Amino acid sequence: KQEVTQIPAALSVPEGENLVLNCSFTDSAIYNLQWFRQDPGKGLTSLLLIQSSQREQTSGRLNASLDKSSGRSTLYIAASQPGDSATYLCAVGPQGGKLIFGQGTELSVKP
Amino acid sequence: DGGITQSPKYLFRKEGQNVTLSCEQNLNHDAMYWYRQDPGQGLRLIYYSQIVNDFQKGDIAEGYSVSREKKESFPLTVTSAQKNPTAFYLCATLSDRASNQPQHFGDGTRLSIL
């Protein structure tokens, strides 16, 4: 059974710092891996989707990598800002969209 | 605007009562999903539907029921058999089940017990 783990559960950094969030999964037979952002009391916003055949995706200050053989993905945030404060969730999917989520990393960026 | 509308935003349930959460989408997406989120945890799949008039159980379907009579709508009923219903419920859509596109999420319904 696929299990997804995110470490750390919470992270606090000063503004301007570069940071890395980690996601690991137990079964490498995935269709894609997605990173989402969740603001308090809100739904999820998709940040990046990496297909199983890809190694990384970039969007602005965000870069996500995927290493299927080791069951790991990282989300790199460059030059962090207070507006980046939120919970970040990774999810892996088989084809069909039945995502399996990690517990999330709660990020706080201090001015 | 195209999107997903969940209602109500907050819902309270009495003991022994069934309640229904609404999810409506105008994205013309085929697949729809219901997830449950408990504090400090990730999302868990309750039910999903990949086509009208068809749906499948997810990992935690006990105590819940759904219907998919229209492409645009996928209501979730939390029955009295669900003994711990307090959670944040999120509805999501995907353009089609073979799609390698991200899922779109609504803003959620927070359900509490009176």
Side-chain angles (χ1 to χ4, degrees):
Chain A
K1 181 183 175 184
Q2 179 74 270
E3 293 182 3
V4 180
T5 303
Q6 291 186 246
I7 295 173
L11 181 64
S12 181
V13 301
E15 182 177 3
E17 194 163 292
N18 301 328
L19 60 100
V20 174
L21 306 180
N22 297 294
C23 173
S24 62
F25 48 95
T26 55
D27 185 349
S28 62
I30 63 173
Y31 188 63
N32 58 43
L33 184 143
Q34 300 181 46
W35 282 94
F36 294 90
R37 169 184 173 138
Q38 185 177 31
D39 292 294
K42 295 290 188 180
L44 278 62
T45 299
S46 177
L47 297 173
L48 291 164
L49 180 149
I50 310 177
Q51 299 178 30
S52 62
S53 58
Q54 297 175 323
R55 297 282 293 183
E56 67 177 340
Q57 282 286 336
T58 297
S59 176
R61 294 183 294 108
L62 305 179
N63 176 276
S65 68
L66 174 63
D67 184 344
K68 281 199 331 178
S69 62
S70 67
R72 293 181 183 177
S73 175
T74 61
L75 179 66
Y76 175 82
I77 302 177
S80 58
Q81 303 171 357
D84 294 330
S85 298
T87 296
Y88 291 80
L89 294 143
C90 77
V92 298
Q95 190 169 8
K98 296 173 287 180
L99 296 178
I100 299 168
F101 284 82
Q103 311 94 312
T105 294
E106 186 176 356
L107 173 65
S108 176
V109 181
K110 304 294 187 184
Chain B
D1 282 349
I4 301 167
T5 302
Q6 289 190 243
S7 62
K9 190 172 177 64
Y10 299 96
L11 187 58
F12 298 91
R13 195 191 87 170
K14 297 179 181 178
E15 291 290 336
Q17 186 182 40
N18 293 351
V19 292
T20 297
L21 285 61
S22 171
C23 179
E24 302 280 332
Q25 57 112 348
N26 60 6
L27 299 168
N28 200 33
H29 285 179
D30 289 323
M32 298 186 73
Y33 308 82
W34 275 106
Y35 294 92
R36 169 181 172 140
Q37 186 176 32
D38 292 283
Q41 297 189 30
L43 283 65
R44 292 180 291 167
L45 182 64
I46 305 172
Y47 267 99
Y48 64 102
S49 168
Q50 293 174 330
I51 196 169
V52 174
N53 292 323
D54 188 42
F55 49 83
Q56 284 81 40
K57 293 181 179 180
D59 297 322
I60 55 166
E62 186 174 350
Y64 300 97
S65 66
V66 294
S67 63
R68 186 87 185 277
E69 297 175 1
K70 300 186 301 181
K71 188 175 185 177
E72 300 80 14
S73 178
F74 191 40
L76 173 73
T77 296
V78 184
T79 75
S80 57
Q82 173 49 247
K83 298 306 180 186
N84 184 24
T86 298
F88 191 47
Y89 291 86
L90 288 158
C91 176
T93 69
L94 186 64
S95 57
D96 68 73
R97 60 182 172 177
S99 171
N100 228 328
Q101 298 295 316
Q103 288 190 9
H104 295 249
F105 282 80
D107 275 343
T109 292
R110 189 167 299 281
L111 176 61
S112 302
I113 294 293
L114 280 178

